[in-house]
């Protein structure tokens, strides 16, 4: 490319361009002006904030993270007591956010794909039920849906003493869903080792099957065999090592259950609402992705003699996935950020325990909000990066 | 040229009293058609006359509601096994090529031999290269369909069908979506295929192709076969008024 301010080498008499008529120079002037304005604005805000903090006697810095928190949290994935530090609170909240987001992403994806495919079904009833699902759940505000599951459904459950019992092992009541907790005993490691072996063997088997098909044209139901191995080998190891697992039963003591594992109603309501809401959007994405593959593709593949299953697997899905992944990423990001609505029903996620309770108790608003925002930004960027990598692996190499 | 050509007695495709409706609309009305091995048939007619629907019924891209269709001794009914058997023996080329955009030209061609005929990959790719060479496009084997011109894509589509070694080839307006300068390269390939003895059913408006290649020309209108004859008689001495009107429209401009 030629420099914009160099006159093209021609024999015409040289004409002088005034600098404000030269687009390149004009753009430079505007950019310098913009940078000055932005710098001035940022400087003003920082100065103002520092003055305010000083006049109110608020200390800045991250020392508060090592102070004792002094409040309890209903659901902790790591050990946590009232005497733990605010730093520990941050980690507990972060893990709770990640837990509900991960659970939500998994269920929303499965549900969304099922509903999306169901909308395309030839079965009138199935298709109509699926479209009713989509229209209902994507058009009601998420916060209302969370309230519905929490207050209308889960708070209507009986008290612990009148729990709904299922086979005398599971108990459902207003405080949560209680189930026995497996406590691995000596020798349980063998089961993990068996699982690891099964996973590695499955990988090898699937690779071998592909090589074998390339070489001989024959195929082998490797996916089913793999599934069998992954379920069967650990089970065998478990039985062979004499069932080294003890189930700790939840027991009613006083007003509540002790022992066992529990899913709290806050987690359940948030999980269900996030999954169902996001699944409605994912269903639409999946439907449009499959519809974006033209009918001619299916016809051409069928005309070659491929069975319906192979048409889907070899021709339709690889093309649909490319259309689906980018908007699917947005839905995952939305779900993660929407999980901060947890604070409305008291699920102890990051916003609730850190940007809520911790901020109130310490008053360190800037540090707390900054850390919380940074966490969501990091989580979102990590998910984006993963999905972009996945997308680039699948992208169409054409044009 | 081919009016007196000696044909095999084997019947490749047989349609007896085939009827089809789209809701209330009667698309095919009692279509009877017999195609012998090695025979080349051109079907023409105004748009909406049911000519595409007729050949799409042969490999069950469209379902007929009444009548019998037998292809290569297999009865076309609702049995998936029969449908797949027939589709293996019947190749089809579409107006809009319908190549798989996510696969290279070579992979497009090798896909069906690998997954339907269970051919080893190396062998399937050899077959693919053989037919790509025959349609004179082997140097594009590693490109993606989106990188080729329309005429090239249609030749790849023909090669892709041939890789399954079909006994019958169906062409559904193969040159209608092409720029004029690309029509010839596709027709040349089709003419070569005809000369090699392939049984062909071709829906097309290329009357030059019909005159030189066809054993029989069929004229359809409003879901019925109105007239069928050898090309000479069909073009020079059409019997029905509708055929005359159609021919005068497409030949006189």
């Amino acid at each position: 490319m030629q420099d914009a301010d160099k006159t093209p080498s021609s024999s015409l008499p040289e004409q002088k361009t005034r600098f404000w008529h030269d687009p390149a120079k004009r753009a430079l002037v505007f950019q310098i002006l913009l940078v000055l304005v932005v710098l001035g604005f940022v400087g003003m805000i920082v100065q103002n904030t520092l003055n305010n903090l000083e006049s109110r006697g608020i200390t800045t810095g991250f020392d508060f993270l090592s102070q004792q928190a002094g409040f309890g949290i209903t659901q902790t994935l790591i050990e946590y007591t009232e005497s733990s530090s605010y730093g520990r609170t941050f980690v507990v909240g972060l893990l709770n956010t990640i837990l509900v987001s991960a659970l939500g992403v998994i269920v929303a994806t499965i549900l969304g794909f099922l509903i999306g495919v169901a909308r395309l079904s030839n079965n009138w009833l199935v298709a109509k039920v699926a479209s009713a699902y989509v229209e209902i759940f994507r058009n009601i505000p998420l916060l209302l849906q969370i309230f519905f599951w929490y207050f209308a459904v889960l708070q209507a459950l009986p008290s612990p003493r009148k729990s709904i019992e299922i086979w005398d092992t599971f108990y459902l009541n207003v405080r949560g869903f209680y189930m026995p907790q497996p406590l691995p005993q000596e020798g349980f490691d063998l089961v993990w080792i068996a699982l690891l072996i099964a996973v590695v063997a499955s990988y090898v088997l699937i690779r071998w099957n592909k090589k074998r098909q390339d070489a001989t044209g024959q195929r082998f139901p490797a996916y089913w065999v793999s599934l069998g191995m992954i379920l069967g080998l650990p089970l065998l190891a478990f039985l062979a090592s004499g069932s080294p697992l003890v189930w700790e039963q939840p027991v009613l003591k006083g007003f509540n259950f002790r022992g066992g594992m529990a899913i709290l109603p806050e987690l359940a309501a948030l999980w269900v609402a996030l999954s169902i809401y996001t699944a409605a959007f994912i269903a639409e994405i999946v439907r449009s992705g499959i519809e974006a593959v033209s009918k001619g593709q299916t016809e051409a593949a069928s005309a070659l003699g491929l069975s319906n299953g192979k048409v889907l697997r070899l021709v339709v899905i690889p093309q649909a996935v490319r259309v689906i992944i980018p908007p699917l990423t947005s839905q995952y990001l939305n779900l993660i950020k929407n999980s901060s609505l947890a604070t409305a029903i008291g699920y102890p996620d990051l916003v609730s325990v850190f940007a809520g309770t911790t901020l109130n108790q310490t008053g360190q608003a800037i540090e707390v909000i900054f850390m919380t925002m940074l966490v969501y930004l990091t989580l979102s960027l990590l998910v984006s990066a993963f999905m972009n990598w996945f997308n680039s692996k699948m992208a169409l190499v054409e044009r | 040229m081919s009016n007196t050509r000696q044909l095999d007695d084997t019947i490749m495709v047989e349609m007896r009293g085939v009827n089809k409706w789209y809701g209330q609309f009667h698309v095919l009305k009692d279509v009877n058609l017999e195609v012998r091995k090695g025979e080349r048939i051109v079907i023409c007619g105004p748009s909406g006359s049911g000519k595409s629907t007729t050949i799409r019924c042969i490999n069950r891209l469209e379902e007929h509601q009444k009548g019998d269709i037998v292809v290569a001794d297999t009865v076309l009914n609702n049995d998936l096994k029969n449908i797949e058997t027939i589709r293996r023996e019947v190749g089809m080329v579409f107006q809009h090529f319908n190549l798989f955009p996510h696969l290279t030209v070579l992979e497009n061609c090798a896909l069906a031999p690998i997954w339907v005929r269970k051919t080893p990959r190396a062998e399937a790719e050899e077959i693919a290269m053989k037919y790509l060479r025959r349609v004179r496009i082997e140097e594009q084997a590693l490109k993606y369909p989106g990188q080729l011109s329309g005429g090239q894509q249609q030749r790849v589509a023909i090669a892709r069908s041939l890789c399954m070694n079909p006994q019958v080839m169906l062409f559904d307006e193969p040159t209608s979506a092409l720029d004029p300068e690309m029509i010839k390269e596709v027709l040349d390939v089709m003419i070569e295929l005809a000369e090699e003895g392939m049984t062909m059913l071709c829906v097309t408006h290329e009357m030059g192709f019909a005159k030189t290649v066809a054993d029989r020309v069929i004229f359809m209108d409003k879901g019925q076969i109105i007239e069928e004859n050898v090309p000479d008689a069909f073009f020079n001495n059409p019997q029905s008024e509708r055929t005359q009107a159609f021919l005068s429209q497409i030949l006189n401009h």
Side-chain angles (χ1 to χ4, degrees):
Chain A
M1 234 176 73
Q2 279 193 324
D3 271 349
D5 49 15
K6 253 187 212 156
T7 27
S9 53
S10 72
S11 52
L12 290 176
E14 197 177 321
Q15 277 188 317
K16 208 157 167 55
T17 315
R18 294 174 189 278
F19 86 90
W20 59 85
H21 286 165
D22 182 335
K25 285 178 188 155
R26 199 146 68 162
L28 192 68
V29 171
F30 283 132
Q31 294 201 27
I32 292 171
L33 278 178
L34 184 66
V35 168
L36 287 178
V37 168
V38 169
L39 282 179
F41 186 69
V42 170
M44 200 176 74
I45 286 185
V46 170
Q47 189 59 43
N48 200 5
T49 312
L50 288 177
N51 286 346
N52 282 341
L53 289 174
E54 202 180 289
S55 67
R56 290 178 196 185
I58 298 174
T59 51
T60 50
F62 291 91
D63 293 343
F64 73 98
L65 286 176
S66 49
Q67 288 165 19
Q68 190 178 319
F71 62 90
I73 298 178
T74 49
Q75 177 192 299
T76 57
L77 294 179
I78 53 172
E79 208 171 304
Y80 177 87
T81 61
E82 290 187 14
S83 55
S84 299
S85 66
Y86 286 123
R88 195 85 175 161
T89 312
F90 171 79
V91 178
V92 168
L94 174 61
L95 289 176
N96 283 344
T97 288
I98 292 175
L99 174 73
V100 75
S101 302
L103 290 172
V105 162
I106 292 168
V107 175
T109 307
I110 296 171
L111 197 61
F113 271 78
L114 290 178
I115 306 271
V117 172
R119 272 202 87 171
L120 296 170
S121 166
N122 289 327
N123 183 318
W124 184 87
L125 187 65
V126 170
K128 288 295 166 211
V129 167
S131 42
Y133 174 97
V134 169
E135 291 310 333
I136 290 171
F137 288 108
R138 75 171 174 176
N139 288 320
I140 297 176
L142 176 57
L143 187 59
L144 269 181
Q145 295 193 34
I146 294 174
F147 283 161
F148 170 78
W149 292 109
Y150 188 62
F151 293 115
V153 178
L154 297 178
Q155 293 294 314
L157 288 171
S159 68
R161 282 169 180 278
K162 293 177 182 159
S163 291
I164 301 168
E165 287 176 30
I166 305 160
W167 306 314
D168 281 334
T169 24
F170 302 98
Y171 300 93
L172 185 63
N173 60 53
V174 71
R175 300 268 179 91
F177 180 61
Y178 291 83
M179 61 196 126
Q181 180 169 21
L183 298 175
Q185 305 294 303
E186 209 177 319
F188 194 76
D189 293 345
L190 203 63
V191 177
W192 291 120
I193 293 168
L195 181 67
L196 188 72
I197 290 173
V199 169
V200 172
S202 300
Y203 177 77
V204 172
L205 182 73
I206 288 165
R207 291 287 300 264
W208 171 78
N209 189 37
K210 191 163 173 349
K211 282 220 180 93
R212 177 163 173 268
Q213 187 192 12
D214 285 353
T216 67
Q218 298 305 308
R219 264 181 82 82
F220 173 82
Y223 291 100
W224 291 110
V225 174
S226 301
L227 188 69
M229 281 203 303
I230 288 172
L231 295 177
L233 271 185
L235 187 69
L236 268 180
F238 178 72
L239 295 175
S241 54
S243 312
L245 200 61
V246 172
W247 294 91
E248 187 196 52
Q249 286 286 341
V251 184
L252 187 64
K253 278 195 180 143
F255 293 110
N256 206 353
F257 281 90
R258 294 289 148 115
M261 288 193 300
I263 297 175
L264 299 185
E266 291 81 23
L267 172 63
L270 190 63
W271 180 13
V272 169
L274 281 175
S275 308
I276 287 183
Y277 176 78
T278 314
F281 290 90
I282 293 179
E284 281 300 272
I285 291 168
V286 168
R287 181 179 69 105
S288 64
I290 293 175
E291 281 182 342
V293 182
S294 77
K295 205 154 172 281
Q297 293 287 310
T298 317
E299 285 181 352
S302 307
L304 285 168
L306 292 164
S307 64
N308 285 342
K310 282 178 190 147
V311 171
L312 266 184
R313 196 174 117 209
L314 299 170
V315 175
V316 177
I317 291 176
Q319 292 182 61
V321 160
R322 288 161 192 180
V323 183
I324 290 173
I325 291 175
L328 188 64
T329 311
S330 311
Q331 290 307 324
Y332 288 169
L333 300 183
N334 278 345
L335 190 147
I336 293 170
K337 289 177 290 179
N338 286 340
S339 76
S340 61
L341 289 171
T343 197
I345 54 169
Y347 173 75
D349 82 321
L350 186 68
V351 172
S352 175
V353 299
F354 195 65
T357 319
T358 302
L359 192 154
N360 280 336
Q361 292 193 0
T362 62
Q364 309 252 279
I366 293 181
E367 295 83 350
V368 168
I369 296 293
F370 176 74
M371 281 174 73
T372 311
M373 281 162 64
L374 205 63
V375 164
Y376 282 99
L377 186 65
T378 313
L379 282 181
S380 296
L381 288 177
L382 283 177
V383 172
S384 287
F386 173 77
M387 294 299 278
N388 284 344
W389 167 80
F390 188 54
N391 194 31
S392 67
K393 269 192 75 166
M394 309 293 285
L396 267 193
V397 198
E398 63 161 337
R399 284 181 281 268
Chain B
M1 70 167 202
S2 46
N3 302 350
T4 52
R5 218 161 53 95
Q6 206 57 51
L7 283 168
D8 212 303
D9 280 340
T10 331
I11 291 175
M12 213 50 167
V13 179
E14 187 172 13
M15 300 175 93
R16 269 193 310 256
V18 171
N19 278 275
K20 176 170 176 61
W21 288 264
Y22 284 125
Q24 292 292 310
F25 181 55
H26 201 168
V27 233
L28 294 184
K29 298 169 189 161
D30 269 325
V31 171
N32 290 291
L33 180 63
E34 235 176 51
V35 184
R36 283 189 288 168
K37 191 168 193 278
E39 201 173 9
R40 281 103 62 159
I41 291 181
V42 165
I43 305 176
C44 59
S47 74
S49 59
K51 48 194 194 309
S52 286
T53 312
T54 305
I55 64 167
R56 285 162 63 87
C57 278
I58 294 173
N59 64 351
R60 213 9 110 87
L61 290 184
E62 304 281 353
E63 197 176 333
H64 62 283
Q65 276 98 36
K66 221 178 107 193
D68 300 312
I69 299 179
V70 181
V71 183
D73 296 328
T74 311
V75 180
L76 183 64
N77 51 19
N78 282 327
D79 189 337
L80 283 176
K81 212 173 161 72
N82 285 10
I83 295 175
E84 278 170 27
T85 310
I86 288 173
R87 284 175 174 169
R88 274 200 290 272
E89 302 306 328
V90 178
M92 187 160 197
V93 175
F94 299 84
Q95 182 178 358
H96 296 289
F97 332 133
N98 296 348
L99 295 177
F100 308 131
H102 60 300
L103 301 176
T104 62
V105 164
L106 185 65
E107 288 165 340
N108 261 280
C109 293
L111 186 76
I114 290 173
W115 290 93
V116 180
R117 294 250 190 253
K118 305 202 183 310
T119 317
R121 182 175 292 272
E123 203 179 305
E125 287 180 351
E126 239 169 67
I127 297 171
M129 284 312 289
K130 180 175 119 195
Y131 287 106
L132 287 173
R133 212 169 295 128
R134 252 177 65 180
V135 301
R136 293 179 289 279
I137 203 160
E138 76 266 31
E139 72 283 358
Q140 313 282 8
L142 297 179
K143 285 196 182 162
Y144 285 87
Q147 299 167 314
L148 305 184
S149 74
Q152 291 173 320
Q153 291 195 41
Q154 194 60 298
R155 283 187 282 148
V156 172
I158 294 173
R160 179 176 70 178
S161 291
L162 292 178
C163 285
M164 284 295 286
N165 202 10
Q167 303 190 47
V168 184
M169 282 289 284
L170 308 175
F171 293 85
D172 189 0
E173 307 202 22
T175 54
S176 301
L178 295 176
D179 291 336
E181 76 270 23
M182 291 171 183
I183 291 178
K184 188 175 176 298
E185 64 185 59
V186 172
L187 287 182
D188 284 347
V189 168
M190 288 167 64
I191 291 169
E192 280 175 31
L193 201 58
E195 280 162 359
E196 283 160 26
M198 175 65 78
T199 313
M200 290 164 72
L201 275 104
C202 188
V203 172
T204 184
H205 297 122
E206 296 296 329
M207 290 302 136
F209 175 79
K211 279 176 192 164
T212 46
V213 174
D215 294 310
R216 227 181 334 149
V217 182
I218 291 176
F219 174 72
M220 286 186 78
D221 192 21
K222 302 199 172 111
Q224 283 172 311
I225 294 183
I226 304 290
E227 183 162 353
E228 55 176 295
N229 214 331
V230 292
D232 277 349
F234 181 85
F235 288 107
N236 299 328
N237 187 19
Q239 300 298 308
S240 100
E241 254 172 58
R242 274 191 274 179
T243 318
Q244 289 161 9
F246 175 75
L247 286 177
S248 72
Q249 267 174 357
I250 62 164
L251 296 176
N252 294 344
H253 65 89

